[in-house]
Amino acid sequence: MPSPSPAPLRGISSMATRLLQAELASLYQERRGTPVETLAIGGVDAAKRVEAGEPFDFVVLGSDAIDKLIAAGAVVPGSRVDLVLSKTYVAVRQGAPKPDISSEAAVREAVLAASTVGNSTGPSGVALARLFERWGISEQIKDRVVTARPGVPVGSLVAQGEVELGFQQLSELIHVEGIDILGELPPQIAIDTIFSGGICTASTRPEEARALLAFMASPEAAAAKKRQGMSPAP
């Protein structure tokens, strides 16, 4: 009789890395023989579920969130592995006028001119809110800021016409139809996020989870990261 297939390693991640996680899971099973299942939900909810002790083997979130889970005792100390660098881009509805985003001043002007501005609840959205505060325009535009619900790409709101100017990580924009991607934020105001993995303390298979995270950080995974609009973590 053929030996039974091993049970899948179970992971949880934010939406920003969902397509990458799916591709790497398939690649890992193909090359290592171990199946992997990853649940992708809003990052805040993912962190809450890990902290609550749900039986996940690994978690992939922004590096700050992983550090908080380590401090809370929900992720194994020393298990954090930086996986990808994700940059924030700007998008408008397909065929709409394309504002200049080549400088910090130009982006600020585009935000002030937009009827609605879309952001996410993830790391890029938090950083964008801080940028608006630094510019001193938070109060002026607060009624025009549309924050996408967890799990809903900002790009889909742009495509539907609910948002005129959308900001989100490229990995969340590149597969959305009906939008034009203007480009990444200029260097002066770049919003770059490192996504990291960690072993959940609830895991009963920590060494297998460690091997999976090592694979995700290895050169074998680099091509998949590029296909999904990201790059290997520096």
Side-chain angles (χ1 to χ4, degrees):
M1 289 180 62
S3 57
S5 299
L9 285 169
R10 295 189 68 238
I12 188 167
S13 77
S14 60
M15 296 298 289
T17 61
R18 69 191 182 283
L19 295 177
L20 175 63
Q21 293 294 312
E23 186 169 350
L24 291 182
S26 177
L27 196 59
Y28 192 72
Q29 180 168 356
E30 177 188 310
R31 297 187 180 180
R32 303 291 195 276
T34 302
V36 180
E37 292 179 356
T38 305
L39 172 66
I41 60 175
V44 173
D45 291 335
K48 286 179 180 176
R49 291 176 66 166
V50 172
E51 194 165 354
E54 286 196 38
F56 294 106
D57 296 299
F58 68 97
V59 55
V60 176
L61 292 170
S63 57
D64 289 352
I66 295 293
D67 289 343
K68 288 176 182 175
L69 289 172
I70 292 171
V75 166
V76 176
S79 71
R80 174 182 146 184
V81 178
D82 293 342
L83 301 175
V84 289
L85 170 67
S86 183
K87 292 180 172 289
T88 298
Y89 278 58
V90 188
V92 295
R93 193 175 189 181
Q94 193 170 51
K98 298 178 180 178
D100 178 15
I101 61 162
S102 62
S103 67
E104 178 175 355
V107 175
R108 185 178 186 277
E109 199 60 39
V111 168
L112 288 172
S115 59
T116 44
V117 177
N119 66 2
S120 74
T121 56
S124 65
V126 173
L128 193 66
R130 287 199 211 104
L131 179 62
F132 294 161
E133 287 175 11
R134 180 166 70 77
W135 283 345
I137 64 172
S138 295
E139 279 299 310
Q140 184 178 347
I141 67 169
K142 66 180 182 180
D143 294 335
R144 291 185 271 145
V145 174
V146 178
T147 300
R149 298 182 305 281
V152 176
V154 173
S156 67
L157 302 182
V158 174
Q160 293 159 17
E162 293 180 47
V163 165
E164 182 178 339
L165 193 67
F167 294 79
Q168 199 165 29
Q169 292 165 72
L170 180 62
S171 61
E172 297 250 51
L173 294 173
I174 55 174
H175 299 296
V176 177
E177 295 184 0
I179 65 173
D180 287 330
I181 299 173
L182 304 181
E184 66 184 90
L185 289 171
Q188 311 95 304
I189 53 169
I191 297 176
D192 298 341
T193 302
I194 298 288
F195 284 96
S196 306
I199 301 169
C200 299
T201 52
S203 175
T204 59
R205 303 161 68 184
E207 290 311 311
E208 290 178 78
R210 193 181 303 277
L212 171 63
L213 292 178
F215 166 79
M216 289 181 172
S218 74
E220 285 184 87
K225 293 171 185 178
K226 290 174 183 173
R227 275 193 294 274
Q228 299 301 338
M230 300 179 175
S231 57

